[in-house]
Amino acid sequence: MNDWVALGRKIRIHPLFWLVAAASIAIAQFQELLILFAIVMVHEMGHATAAHFFSWRIRKIVILPFGGVAETDEHGNRPLKEELIVTIAGPFQHVWIGLCAYLLHQAQVLPPGLYGQIMEANLTVLLFNLIPVWPLDGGKIMNLAFSMYLPFLKAFRLTVYSSLAALLVFHCTALWLTPANLSIWAVVLYLYVSLWKEWKQLYFVFMRFLLERYYGKGDPLRYLKTLQVEGNAYLYEVLENFKRGCKHPLIVLQNGIEIGQLDENELLHAYFSEKQTHAKVKDIMYSY
């Protein structure tokens, strides 16, 4: 019980939500706002509940006008399937919300007007969160798809590029359909700022991924994927090829001929513990 109380205390309301709330009150749409708030809250608690089930370290749950963000201290070293479950746990809530609303409407508990508002808000929040823009659920699913085939850094960089392209399309569409919608403007602005911050922190996020991998705070890596690297390659160049969900034994080559082998932890140790940030692979190979 105390765990759930602590989880509830992590909920934060973003200032943009209060801006939209003020606008809704001004145009007499407070009931619609309450419905939207309740649906967004259920959506985010779906993420939080799944993350709590897998013992993720949750920092805070931020509620936005059309969605929210569950911020955690997991930096890419959880299993991809586990992260997918946490990600889709939010959109899944809209299935039972819609089903319950339909059954209550059929039982004549919900009047047609209120039923229509709930179904419209439920579908709006669901579709908005599935837009492939980071940090929305669609953006996270896109990042997971990229991570299945690409190294962590390349997958995250491609996620930011693709998110920006999708956001521009969404923004232009919104300007064409509802140019005076304050809520859309507020959320789009938030997403632009979020992408800009992610781009500026790209290598910081990558370093957190490597550090957590090195210190073993995430789940054990279950798969092996051998990397062939040149002895003259710098350590940071090799580290940029590390993928999520697998451990990398290294085969060191010189002019195409194998000259030795290394474990990924030996590279991580040399880079982080021994501060050999500008060393080459061949420089550390004979140290072990």
Side-chain angles (χ1 to χ4, degrees), residues 54-65:
F54 289 116
S55 301
W56 284 26
R57 298 159 294 173
I58 303 172
R59 286 188 291 171
K60 59 182 177 180
I61 303 165
V62 183
I63 303 300
L64 295 163

Side-chain angles (χ1 to χ4, degrees), residues 228-233 251-260 282 285-286:
Q228 293 187 346
V229 300
E230 285 293 329
N232 286 321
I251 297 178
V252 185
L253 306 176
Q254 186 73 38
N255 298 323
I257 300 175
E258 181 179 338
I259 60 173
K282 66 179 182 181
M285 188 174 62
Y286 299 108

Side-chain angles (χ1 to χ4, degrees), residues 16 20-21 23-24 36 65-66 128 180-189:
L16 285 177
V20 174
S24 299
L36 190 64
F66 280 121
F128 178 78
N181 191 315
L182 179 61
S183 299
I184 294 294
W185 276 97
V187 173
V188 165
L189 177 61

Side-chain angles (χ1 to χ4, degrees), residues 83-119:
E83 187 164 339
L84 179 62
I85 291 172
V86 173
T87 301
I88 65 176
F92 178 75
Q93 306 310 308
H94 299 278
V95 177
W96 71 260
I97 290 174
L99 180 61
C100 287
Y102 174 76
L103 293 176
L104 290 173
H105 175 61
Q106 291 298 310
Q108 298 184 344
V109 175
L110 281 180
L114 182 57
Y115 170 70
Q117 289 177 354
I118 293 174
M119 294 300 284

Side-chain angles (χ1 to χ4, degrees), residues 200-245:
K200 289 194 67 176
Q201 297 177 355
L202 187 63
Y203 276 92
F204 175 68
V205 171
F206 177 54
M207 285 297 113
R208 287 192 307 183
F209 162 72
L210 293 177
L211 279 168
E212 187 159 309
R213 190 181 183 108
Y214 175 47
Y215 288 109
K217 294 181 181 178
D219 286 354
L221 301 175
R222 298 180 175 86
Y223 305 102
L224 296 179
K225 182 176 177 58
T226 303
L227 293 180
Q228 293 187 346
V229 300
E230 285 293 329
N232 286 321
Y234 289 99
L235 298 189
Y236 64 83
E237 293 177 328
V238 178
L239 294 175
E240 288 181 358
N241 288 309
F242 278 22
K243 291 183 62 177
R244 298 180 53 174

Side-chain angles (χ1 to χ4, degrees), residues 18-68:
W18 299 120
L19 178 63
V20 174
S24 299
I25 294 173
I27 59 177
Q29 291 185 342
F30 190 64
Q31 178 174 289
E32 290 85 343
L33 177 69
L34 288 179
I35 293 172
L36 190 64
F37 177 81
I39 291 174
V40 170
M41 183 66 73
V42 171
H43 177 107
E44 290 308 315
M45 290 308 295
H47 290 306
T49 301
H52 182 73
F53 176 80
F54 289 116
S55 301
W56 284 26
R57 298 159 294 173
I58 303 172
R59 286 188 291 171
K60 59 182 177 180
I61 303 165
V62 183
I63 303 300
L64 295 163
F66 280 121

